[in-house]
Amino acid sequence: MSIYEFLELRFGPRTRSMASVIFLITRSLASGARLWVPTLLVVVIWNQLNPERPLGVWEQFWVTGGALVLISLLTAAYTAVGGIKAVIWTDVLQSAVLFGALGFSVWYLLGHIPGGWEGAKTHLTGAHDLKLWEWQGDVPPSAEFVSQYGTTWGSIKSVLESEFTVWAALLGSLFITLATHGTDQDMVQRMLTAKNKRQSAVATI
């Protein structure tokens, strides 16, 4: 079963078709960008290693185009051979690389800041620099709004107009997760291919 089969069962064929078309269009655009950006690294690495002979425009086009075709063929090959297992293990490797890069970056940066973490904290002198949880909004409502609607609605308005609050994170992640896990087969296929509900829940986490 795909997420689109479920959407058809729940909402009808029109919803299934619309969700499928939107997914194909947006996935094509997103995959194109995700494939193109890493190929630009080839140009950056070449120019860093050969500063006396940087690649010209047409050379960049052929190098990135060749890398793009090669990456696409390799990805298609291991996906065709390995199926969903190959996709999932690729995700595992990507997660390991991401967390490994994060850990290395923090370690490297702290190792090059005089005094390490304590030295870094001396530069974080702002009132909210080290604050992790921000529940209140930083955009105060006008006195006119408070007098008309009250303090409670004024606080809610302040939170909704502020970018960095716990509420913004919760609301934002709610709608993003509804989109990715409600209409995106690329995300949901990992859960749908699990053997049972427990494994599906673990895959979601």
Side-chain angles (χ1 to χ4, degrees):
M1 176 183 282
S2 72
I3 189 65
Y4 308 110
E5 289 178 84
F6 173 78
L7 288 173
E8 181 175 26
L9 290 171
R10 181 68 179 82
F11 300 107
R14 183 176 295 180
T15 301
R16 171 185 176 148
S17 299
M18 183 63 76
S20 299
V21 168
I22 291 172
F23 170 75
L24 288 172
I25 293 171
T26 56
R27 181 57 52 187
S28 297
L29 294 171
S31 296
R34 289 186 185 123
L35 282 169
W36 183 251
V37 171
T39 61
L40 296 178
L41 288 175
V42 177
V43 175
V44 172
I45 292 170
W46 173 272
N47 290 341
Q48 288 289 325
L49 296 176
N50 303 282
E52 72 286 345
R53 190 188 173 278
L55 292 175
V57 175
W58 280 108
E59 289 175 317
Q60 290 183 29
F61 175 79
W62 289 111
V63 167
T64 55
L68 185 64
V69 169
L70 181 63
I71 291 171
S72 300
L73 290 174
L74 288 173
T75 305
Y78 80 71
T79 304
V81 172
I84 190 67
K85 284 188 178 181
V87 173
I88 291 172
W89 277 110
T90 303
D91 287 345
V92 172
L93 291 173
Q94 286 178 355
S95 298
V97 169
L98 284 170
F99 283 106
L102 173 64
F104 174 79
S105 299
V106 171
W107 170 80
Y108 182 84
L109 290 172
L110 290 178
H112 286 74
I113 295 174
W117 172 241
E118 293 302 319
K121 281 203 299 187
T122 61
H123 297 283
L124 302 172
T125 56
H128 299 286
D129 284 352
L130 293 173
K131 190 170 185 180
L132 185 60
W133 305 102
E134 182 62 73
W135 296 92
Q136 303 297 322
D138 55 8
V139 181
S142 65
E144 181 184 342
F145 184 90
V146 173
S147 65
Q148 187 173 357
Y149 297 102
T151 308
T152 302
W153 283 111
S155 298
I156 292 172
K157 182 177 186 291
S158 175
V159 166
L160 292 176
E161 290 180 346
S162 303
E163 291 185 52
F164 304 110
T165 65
V166 173
W167 302 113
L170 291 174
L171 283 171
S173 60
L174 168 68
F175 285 105
I176 287 173
T177 305
L178 282 173
T180 57
H181 291 72
T183 60
D184 190 333
Q185 177 65 17
D186 187 43
M187 295 293 295
V188 181
Q189 65 181 344
R190 294 152 180 78
M191 278 62 81
L192 294 178
T193 53
K195 293 179 181 178
N196 50 51
K197 288 183 180 181
R198 178 178 170 79
Q199 285 192 5
S200 183
V202 172
T204 305
I205 293 168

